[in-house]
Amino acid sequence: MIIAVDGPAASGKGTLSKRVAVHYALAYLDTGSLYRAVARDTVIAGGDPRDEDAAVAAAEKIDPDTLEDPGLRARGVGEAASIVAAHAKVRTALLAYQRSFAKQPAGAVIDGRDIGTVICPDATVKLFVTATPEERAHRRYLQLIDGGVQVTEDEVLADIRRRDERDQGREAAPLLKADDAHLLDTTNLSIDAAFKAAIDVIDAAL
Ligand code: C5P
């Protein structure tokens, strides 16, 4: 069983995907962390995320054991990740790892931007998780403040809009709802309600 979960930045897809994975005892892969790690490693190697060759070199050496690094969640890393993620060759370099993860016998929940459209077009169930930019900015703002980061809600909203534009506007695997994905708008849903809605959709498809 493969459950593909796509959606924009801060839509709640990560929280939701982790809970779904536990519920069905499936492995979980946050593919955003791959692009974040590529951005981190490009910069550590002295490269510029806008330089496709530098980002590809980092993508080809990515170490899956470094994806839990809390530094990957920092504000600037998400921004740099969306820059490296626009390079087609970076996406190609990360494809095999994602596809092989999807094949493990236990089945998997995989979240990202192009899982239902490119990585796992034959996924058992596809969810497309959204919320308004304002609601997503509000949630991300509370998380950042909670983590001691000094930022205003307007700055977070501007980050989110810029990232949406880049993720939706790029040529290589843009953020797109697959035709057969179930739309889950979490704007007015609590985490529990979003989880329940997801489980209902998945159970109905099994
Ligand atoms: O999901 P997260 O915010 O951690 O992703 C960081 C960035 O990585 C996104 O803004 C997006 O540009 C990129 N990404 C992607 N394809 C994926 C997952 C993430 O392009 N499957």
Side-chain angles (χ1 to χ4, degrees):
M1 166 151 93
I2 297 173
I3 301 177
V5 184
D6 291 301
S11 56
K13 62 187 186 311
T15 307
L16 182 70
S17 299
K18 273 182 223 150
R19 280 187 67 171
V20 167
V22 170
H23 184 81
Y24 293 101
L26 302 171
Y28 168 61
L29 178 64
D30 159 17
T31 62
S33 68
L34 290 169
Y35 293 91
R36 288 171 181 266
V38 170
R40 172 199 60 195
D41 295 352
T42 303
V43 173
I44 289 174
D48 182 333
R50 285 168 295 193
D51 174 354
E52 181 159 24
D53 291 341
V56 169
E60 283 171 348
K61 287 195 290 245
I62 212 71
D63 175 359
D65 289 339
T66 67
L67 301 179
E68 302 286 331
D69 170 8
L72 290 183
R73 307 314 307 169
R75 208 176 138 211
V77 180
E79 176 76 15
S82 72
I83 295 173
V84 299
H87 300 309
K89 288 183 192 158
V90 168
R91 307 197 71 85
T92 305
L94 297 177
L95 194 71
Y97 176 74
Q98 296 174 80
R99 290 236 170 105
S100 73
F101 190 96
K103 280 203 195 108
Q104 54 189 298
V109 180
I110 306 186
D111 83 33
R113 302 290 186 291
D114 61 341
I115 310 306
T117 51
V118 176
I119 306 295
C120 301
D122 298 326
T124 321
V125 183
K126 300 179 186 178
L127 298 175
F128 193 84
V129 183
T130 58
T132 60
E134 290 76 12
E135 177 60 24
R136 289 185 280 127
H138 183 63
R139 292 176 191 166
R140 180 55 55 88
Y141 167 74
L142 293 178
Q143 274 173 3
L144 288 169
I145 291 291
D146 198 40
V149 180
Q150 296 277 349
V151 69
T152 67
E153 199 162 326
D154 280 351
E155 286 169 337
V156 181
L157 180 57
D159 282 357
I160 296 251
R161 289 197 192 281
R162 198 168 44 242
R163 208 120 76 78
D164 282 358
E165 248 176 62
R166 207 176 275 136
D167 290 348
Q168 287 161 359
R170 68 183 177 217
E171 267 175 42
L175 170 65
L176 206 64
K177 178 186 165 301
D179 289 341
D180 53 350
H182 299 266
L183 183 67
L184 187 59
D185 185 337
T186 68
T187 305
N188 298 308
L189 297 182
S190 65
I191 293 176
D192 283 347
F195 174 67
K196 166 98 177 47
I199 295 301
D200 287 348
V201 167
I202 297 165
D203 282 345
L206 295 181

